[in-house]
Amino acid sequence: PLGLFEVLARNRQSALGRCVCILREREQPPRVFTIPPRQRLSSPNRLVSRRRNFTHLINTHTHKEREGKKERKKEKHKTKLVKKKHATPRVFFPLLCGSDLTLFESNSDQKSPHIFVFPDAKQTLTSITETPIMASSRRLLKSISSSARLFSNHHTQNQTRGYKVAVLGAAGGIGQPCGLLMKMNPLVTELRLYDIAGTPGVAADVSHINTKAQVKGYSQADDGEDGLKNALKDCDLVIIPAGVPRKPGMTRDDLFKINAGIVKGLVEACAENCPKAMLNIISNPVNSTVPIAAETLKQKGVYDKKKLFGVTTLDVVRAKTFYAEKKGLETAKVDVPVIGGHAGVTILPLFSQATPKAALTDDEIDALTKRTQDGGTEVVAAKAGKGSATLSMAYAGALFGDACLRAKNGEAGVVECTYVESDVVPGVEFFATKVSLGREGVEKIHGTGALTAYEQAGLDGMMSELKDSIQKGLDFAKGA
Ligand code: NAD
Ligand code: LMR
């Protein structure tokens, strides 16, 4: 026990790869707190500069807390360490819970930060400027909710609403695990699982998980036309992985013939039953199915470009994994933007913008880029005729769906790479870059950032394929 909190786990990796601590306050249920990567705190130095005040407070506090001989020894040791480390900068991550202030102290090995709890921080800290503490706390609280959500079904501070979410293609390879992950998301109050057939079984199975979302299965086979209608009625978010996957030797474009019609039909139903929903299109070829969805919604008079997303999160997930592996970095701390589209050369990871920065040779950049572009094909080949990526895609789809819900719920600073209607690159109407998400969907489309000569060549090289795929989708939807 430390102050008001019992520490159940420190610095564990969450399902989302973030660094978390699990604390329990008195008899309360455990709560998960993320420790944000250092670079996400815009003013760690200001906190460092206040170390004297913090050290003083820590000593005063721990003095009060001392219990027994053993405890006193520990404290002495701690004070020694504090003195020893006096010359090196120490960084504290603050977290305000009600009026209590918790400080996570980072140490040099970053493995087991000390945690200090100051009850009634407002009174204790009157002499310290509140602004940097409050600002960092707000940032910290923002990231808490996302990790906590996949972790537990306890509400976190900025969860205010529940949402209706539908998965179309829910009995499939992606649909089933994606449904499972959305069932674990506490922002979801109703989860509707729709497929042509097989959904009652999937829904019954998933519904036994003890999280709050109510699950219902709908299928064409059991419910006829009403199945889709009822699944979509007034939904806030629709995730669409319906359609056929690739077999070895096929391109994503080879799926167009079958999947174009499936996506068109499902999006028409969305337009009729949940015109204000955010749509997450997973079905391939994404470079064409998103334009198909846009044109279909336009024809129905309900197109809102801010609410239509092609899910390219799997490319980002792969780029992060491959980069972290190559450079021996902690995967959870890695970020790599991926721009363009979602097929072969149209997938362009920007390793020059990867963080944390690690030196990469030209050959390494080329190999990492190619592996990211061919990630889907690597899985298709390994599955040898039994489909394409399903589990990693379900994870990526749930991650992106969660980002949409958090933004809808008012969380600020939600940024994801996604394929949307965009004018970032002249000549293509749809393009993936980093996008800030808000309550109404797309809030701001970010540019590509400065590109290296290698990346610029990659961008130039994808243009004709991307243009053709977009046009093919638009033509199909227009019946041209
Ligand atoms: P799957 O065959 O395992 O599942 C697809 C499901 O869609 C099936 O259950 C099927 O019955 C259902 N379906 C077909 N037509 C439907 C309709 N009209 N309405 C409702 N459901 C319908 O395939 P999968 O592995 O889950 O892949 C699904 C799609 O996702 C494929 O097109 C695949 O290429 C794509 N995909 C995209 C990404 C990405 O990064 N965007 C990643 C992986 C896979
Ligand atoms: C992927 O990237 O894994 C998906 O687009 C599926 C595929 O066909 O490669």
Side-chain angles (χ1 to χ4, degrees), residues 174 244-247 250-252 255 282-286 311 314-315 318 342-343 347 372-380 387-390 392-393:
I174 297 167
V244 291
R246 281 201 284 168
K247 288 197 188 313
M250 291 171 84
T251 66
R252 292 178 181 83
L255 305 172
I282 293 174
S283 316
N284 269 318
V286 168
V311 182
L314 182 53
D315 303 317
R318 284 175 177 147
H342 177 69
I347 300 167
T372 308
Q373 291 174 333
D374 295 340
T377 309
E378 185 180 317
V379 179
V380 170
S388 54
T390 52
S392 51
M393 182 59 237

Side-chain angles (χ1 to χ4, degrees), residues 2-324:
L2 266 162
L4 293 175
F5 291 89
E6 184 186 351
V7 183
L8 302 180
R10 291 176 182 182
N11 263 12
R12 295 284 162 82
Q13 276 206 354
S14 75
L16 282 172
R18 291 191 180 124
C19 203
V20 302
C21 283
I22 305 173
L23 308 179
R24 183 162 57 193
E25 192 181 356
R26 291 202 188 97
E27 297 304 309
Q28 299 299 308
R31 295 206 288 164
V32 182
F33 298 115
T34 53
I35 301 181
R38 270 190 209 202
Q39 62 268 27
R40 287 190 63 184
L41 288 175
S42 69
S43 57
N45 291 338
R46 280 200 278 170
L47 292 167
V48 173
S49 71
R50 302 228 172 250
R51 77 191 141 87
R52 272 173 192 280
N53 312 32
F54 284 133
T55 308
H56 169 72
L57 284 164
I58 288 159
N59 289 339
T60 319
H61 176 71
T62 48
H63 179 74
K64 279 183 203 159
E65 284 286 305
R66 270 190 287 199
E67 268 177 27
K69 213 172 172 186
K70 214 172 161 193
E71 202 61 20
R72 258 200 308 278
K73 260 191 181 173
K74 262 194 210 162
E75 296 306 331
K76 262 190 187 169
H77 183 63
K78 205 184 286 170
T79 317
K80 257 192 203 164
L81 280 179
V82 167
K83 276 184 191 158
K84 219 172 164 184
K85 284 189 177 175
H86 206 253
T88 56
R90 302 166 70 212
V91 180
F92 294 93
F93 298 108
L95 171 71
L96 279 168
C97 299
S99 62
D100 297 335
L101 170 72
T102 302
L103 286 181
F104 297 91
E105 180 202 352
S106 80
N107 55 16
S108 53
D109 65 3
Q110 285 288 302
K111 280 200 178 117
S112 49
H114 296 128
I115 296 175
F116 304 97
V117 179
F118 301 96
D120 205 357
K122 271 183 202 134
Q123 280 173 33
T124 325
L125 295 176
T126 42
S127 60
I128 292 180
T129 322
E130 270 193 341
T131 334
I133 295 168
M134 292 299 291
S136 327
S137 298
R138 263 200 308 281
R139 246 169 266 131
L140 181 56
L141 286 170
K142 247 186 261 159
S143 61
I144 284 168
S145 54
S146 61
S147 286
R149 208 156 281 133
L150 281 185
F151 230 92
S152 82
N153 57 353
H154 294 299
H155 280 229
T156 50
Q157 308 215 3
N158 59 357
Q159 282 174 228
T160 53
R161 273 197 57 190
Y163 298 100
K164 298 184 185 79
V165 175
V167 180
L168 311 184
I174 297 167
Q176 291 198 40
C178 191
L180 161 74
L181 291 170
M182 295 316 285
K183 171 75 170 106
M184 291 168 69
N185 189 319
L187 280 177
V188 181
T189 42
E190 270 187 57
L191 180 62
R192 284 101 172 260
L193 303 178
Y194 175 80
D195 205 304
I196 299 168
T199 20
V202 178
D205 190 354
V206 170
S207 73
H208 289 187
I209 293 166
N210 61 331
T211 55
K212 77 174 173 194
Q214 295 297 306
V215 185
K216 258 195 152 180
Y218 303 86
S219 73
Q220 207 176 53
D222 297 290
D223 312 301
E225 298 252 303
D226 285 347
L228 185 54
K229 243 191 240 173
N230 294 337
L232 291 173
K233 198 82 209 134
D234 300 328
C235 262
D236 298 294
L237 171 69
V238 184
I239 303 174
I240 309 184
V244 291
R246 281 201 284 168
K247 288 197 188 313
M250 291 171 84
T251 66
R252 292 178 181 83
D253 188 56
D254 293 334
L255 305 172
F256 187 96
K257 258 194 203 140
I258 300 175
N259 289 355
I262 292 175
V263 170
K264 190 167 191 327
L266 293 174
V267 170
E268 275 167 358
C270 292
E272 285 157 18
N273 297 288
C274 53
K276 292 190 162 36
M278 292 188 188
L279 304 188
N280 294 356
I281 310 287
I282 293 174
S283 316
N284 269 318
V286 168
N287 291 356
S288 304
T289 51
V290 172
I292 290 173
E295 187 55 32
T296 305
L297 293 165
K298 269 183 202 164
Q299 288 164 7
K300 290 277 186 183
V302 295
Y303 179 50
D304 180 351
K305 64 181 179 184
K306 293 180 173 169
K307 291 187 169 164
L308 177 63
F309 305 94
V311 182
T312 56
T313 319
L314 182 53
D315 303 317
V316 177
V317 164
R318 284 175 177 147
K320 286 179 181 180
T321 306
F322 302 155
Y323 176 63

